[in-house]
Amino acid sequence: MEPATSSQGYLIPENGKQCEDGAEEDGLAFRQRLHQRFPKVVYALDFSWWKKPIVRRLFQGSEVRFVRKVDRVPLGATLAVWGRKAINGRLAKEVSLVHLEDGFIRSVGLGADLIRPLSWVTDSRGIYYDATQPSDLEHLLLTAAFSPALVERGARLQRRIVESGITKYNVGKAGWNRPAGSRRVILVPGQVESDASIRYAAPGIRTNIALLQTVREANPDAYVVYKPHPDVLAGLRAMGDGENGAFAWCNEVVMEVSMANMLTLVDEVHVLTSLAGFEALLRGKPVTTYGQPFYAGWGLTCDKAPIPRRTRHLTLSELVAGVLILYPTYISRTAGCFITPERALDELLAWRETAGDRLPLWRRILRPFLRLTSDNG
C-alpha cells in the first residue's frame, strides 16, 4: 500500500505518522524521488543482524534480499555492500554495486554500541572516505551547480548545527575550560586506527601518536590538546599503537568532553581524516589535514597531502549543501520514512533531550561482547 499525502503536503506512511516534505519539492515528489532511486529488487551482501531492518528502511521502495554469498546475486542485479568490505567470490556480469555507510549527522550514541543511525549514505562510485578513487560525493562536489537557494539552505543548516551543538555522535557531557593566557590552542582528535578512512585516505601518517608528534614538532609553542576517539574511550575499539604515550607530545588529554564544546574553544584543529575536521569547518575554525578526508581539497583546509583531482574551490555553504543535503539519506526514527536534514535535526535534538547522561546498564553490560564480535557489516 502506497503512503498517503496529507493536506499539508506531508507524507503519511501506513502507521499514520507524518513525515516532512522535501523543502523545495512537494511531499509527493520527495517521496517518489527517493523511493524510485533503486530497482525493484536490491540484493544486500553479508549484513549483520542488527543492520538488516535499517537496510530495509534505506531501500524502502525496493524489495531487499539478503545474501551471504555473491553467487546468489544474478546477472545485472544491484548489490548493496557495507563500505569497503571485501567481496569474496566473483560477481555476475553487469552487477551494480552500491556502497553503504553511516551519514555525518548520525545519532545520540555510538555506532559501535549498535545505536541506530538517522542518516546513511549510498555511493555507486566508491565511498566518501576512500580517497584512492572518486566517490559520488567527490563527483557531486566537483560538478554540482549550487543554486542560490541551495547555498542559502546550506548556510541555514550550518548555523543551526553550530547553534544547537550538534556533532556526529553527540556524546560526552563534561565541560572543558580553555587554558589561561593567549597561547594558540590546537585540538588533535584521535581516530580508531583500524578505521577504513585511515587505510584508504592516509597516504603518509597513519597513527594517532605520529600525528601528535608531527603537530607538536611543527607547533612547539602551541597548547596542544589530544582527544581520544569515543569508541576507544568506551572500550569498544582498540587503542592505537603507542597512543598511551600521548602525554609526551601534548599539553593535555581530554576524555568525556563533547566535541561541540571543544570546537568552540580551540583555535585550530589538526586531523588525519577525522570528521571532527569537517565539524570544525562548520564552526569557522582553521583545519589542517594530514590525510585526505572528503572535505579536504576544496580550498577550505590546509592540506599536507593534496588531492590533485579535486580542482574546484567551494564556499563553506556549498560544501555543507553537498555533504549534508544532497549526498545523504535521512530516515525518521519515529515514522521510518524519508525526511529532510532539517527534520532530522529536529528529531536529533528531541532525542538528545530525552537520552539522559548515562548509558543504560544493559548497553554497558553488552560492550565487552561488542568489542569481541564487532564487524563491518
Side-chain angles (χ1 to χ4, degrees), residues 174-324:
W176 180 78
N177 294 317
R178 181 186 171 92
S182 59
R183 295 173 66 184
R184 186 165 51 109
V185 179
I186 297 175
L187 173 64
V188 179
Q191 293 183 244
V192 177
E193 290 183 5
S194 61
D195 190 80
S197 71
I198 293 180
R199 293 200 301 274
Y200 294 108
I205 298 170
R206 290 196 164 196
T207 65
N208 293 315
I209 201 69
L211 173 63
L212 259 179
Q213 182 177 355
T214 301
V215 173
R216 166 54 75 208
E217 290 176 347
N219 303 274
D221 298 325
Y223 189 94
V224 177
V225 183
Y226 179 64
K227 188 178 190 308
H229 192 278
D231 282 355
V232 174
L233 292 175
L236 293 164
R237 296 290 185 268
M239 181 179 288
D241 185 24
E243 191 175 350
N244 56 358
F247 273 111
W249 301 102
C250 67
N251 299 89
E252 185 178 358
V253 176
V254 298
M255 302 291 187
E256 301 297 335
V257 179
S258 76
M259 181 59 74
N261 175 257
M262 291 294 302
L263 291 175
T264 62
L265 297 173
V266 301
D267 297 307
E268 301 174 22
V269 177
H270 290 228
V271 300
L272 280 176
T273 62
S274 172
L275 183 67
F278 177 68
E279 294 171 341
L281 286 179
L282 297 183
R283 290 155 175 85
K285 302 295 180 176
V287 175
T288 299
T289 64
Y290 296 80
Q292 298 174 326
F294 66 88
Y295 51 86
W298 309 108
L300 297 169
T301 51
C302 175
D303 302 321
K304 301 297 185 180
I307 309 152
R309 66 176 183 269
R310 296 181 187 174
T311 56
R312 188 181 188 185
H313 279 208
L314 298 172
T315 67
L316 180 58
S317 295
E318 288 171 337
L319 181 68
V320 171
V323 171
L324 297 182

